[in-house]
Amino acid sequence: MKQKISKIRRRLKADLDRERYEHTLGVMYTAAALAMRYDEDIDQALIAGLLHDCAKCIAPDTKIKLCDKYHLSVSDIELANPSLLHAKLGAYLAAKKFRVRDKDVIDAIASHTTGRPHMTLLEKIIYISDYIEPGREELPNMAVVRKLAFSDIDECLYRILKDSLVYLESKNMPVDPMTEKAYQYYKEKLGKKEE
C-alpha cells in the first residue's frame, strides 16, 4: 500500500498546483486520523483523501467536456458552477487513471463536495477531512467543528452542512440539491429543530 500511495502522490504532484497538493496531503492525513478514531480502514481513508481532488485543477470547460466524454451526468447547477464536477469526475479518474477498484473509496471521492443522505463512515470521514484539514483557511465555527470531528461525527457532519448552506446562501451562490438533501437527512436523523 505504501508503494501505491507514493506512486499516486508523485502523479498528483505533477497534476495539481502546489496549494491544491498541500491541501490534498492535509486531507489524506486528517482522514487517516479520523479513520483511526472511528476504527475505519486507514488505507481506504489514505487513498480516498489523496485522490479526493484529483480532478480539481482541470479547467472548468474541460471538466464539462470530460464528463460528456465519459457519460457522466451534468446538472444545471453543475453547468453553472463546474467546480462541483470535480467530485464525480475525480471518482471516475480515480477508477480509470489511478486504477482504484474499491467502490467505497470511489463513493467517498464522489460525495466529498455535496455530501448525501445515508453516507458511509468513509464518506463522512473524507467530507469532514476536506473541510477541517489543518491548512484550510479558518471558516466560521472551525474550532467547534474540529473538536466535533473527533467526538461526534454525525453532529460534525450536520454542522458543516448547515454552515455550508448558510455560506452559499449569503454569497447568493447556487446550492446543489444533494447538499440540501444531506442537510435535511442529518437534521432529521439528529432530531434538530428549525432554527
Side-chain angles (χ1 to χ4, degrees):
M1 186 53 70
K2 270 187 179 175
Q3 281 183 317
K4 183 174 185 170
I5 289 171
S6 293
K7 188 176 180 181
I8 293 171
R9 280 177 65 162
R10 281 193 301 276
R11 290 180 72 183
L12 284 176
K13 196 167 189 176
D15 291 351
L16 302 176
D17 62 40
R18 190 182 59 78
E19 276 185 39
R20 184 59 47 187
Y21 181 70
E22 293 295 322
H23 163 73
T24 292
L25 295 181
V27 173
M28 179 182 78
Y29 291 126
T30 303
L34 284 171
M36 287 182 234
R37 161 62 182 89
Y38 291 103
D39 200 24
E40 181 59 285
D41 186 289
I42 295 170
D43 288 337
Q44 285 182 317
L46 287 167
I47 295 288
L50 189 55
L51 287 172
H52 83 285
D53 271 355
C54 67
K56 186 76 172 185
C57 291
I58 297 171
D61 56 334
T62 306
K63 279 188 187 88
I64 294 168
K65 287 176 188 163
L66 288 172
C67 285
D68 187 46
K69 177 181 175 180
Y70 300 137
H71 308 290
L72 303 173
S73 64
V74 178
S75 70
D76 291 340
I77 297 277
E78 291 165 332
L79 270 177
N81 186 3
S83 175
L84 291 170
L85 291 172
H86 81 274
K88 70 171 66 166
L89 182 57
Y92 180 87
L93 294 176
K96 299 300 179 198
K97 180 178 176 181
F98 295 96
R99 293 185 168 81
V100 173
R101 301 287 173 253
D102 188 325
K103 185 182 178 327
D104 293 335
V105 170
I106 301 296
D107 289 347
I109 295 167
S111 67
H112 87 268
T113 303
T114 61
R116 68 176 187 84
H118 304 283
M119 290 170 82
T120 66
L121 179 55
L122 182 63
E123 286 176 301
K124 293 172 189 178
I125 285 171
I126 299 306
Y127 182 89
I128 290 168
S129 296
D130 186 32
Y131 193 87
I132 70 166
E133 65 93 0
R136 181 65 95 175
E137 68 180 80
E138 287 295 313
L139 298 164
N141 307 315
M142 185 64 93
V144 172
V145 169
R146 283 182 170 143
K147 281 184 186 148
L148 279 172
F150 289 88
S151 62
D152 187 335
I153 200 162
D154 282 348
E155 185 68 37
C156 178
L157 181 64
Y158 166 77
R159 188 66 182 263
I160 293 171
L161 287 162
K162 180 181 171 190
D163 288 351
S164 296
L165 287 171
V166 167
Y167 172 79
L168 290 169
E169 287 165 9
S170 76
K171 298 286 184 192
N172 236 7
M173 294 171 74
V175 175
D176 190 291
M178 191 56 73
T179 304
E180 282 279 358
K181 288 177 186 168
Y183 168 72
Q184 288 301 328
Y185 173 81
Y186 286 99
K187 183 174 147 184
E188 288 171 25
K189 182 180 179 186
L190 296 170
K192 302 288 183 183
K193 303 285 183 234
E194 289 297 329
E195 295 176 17

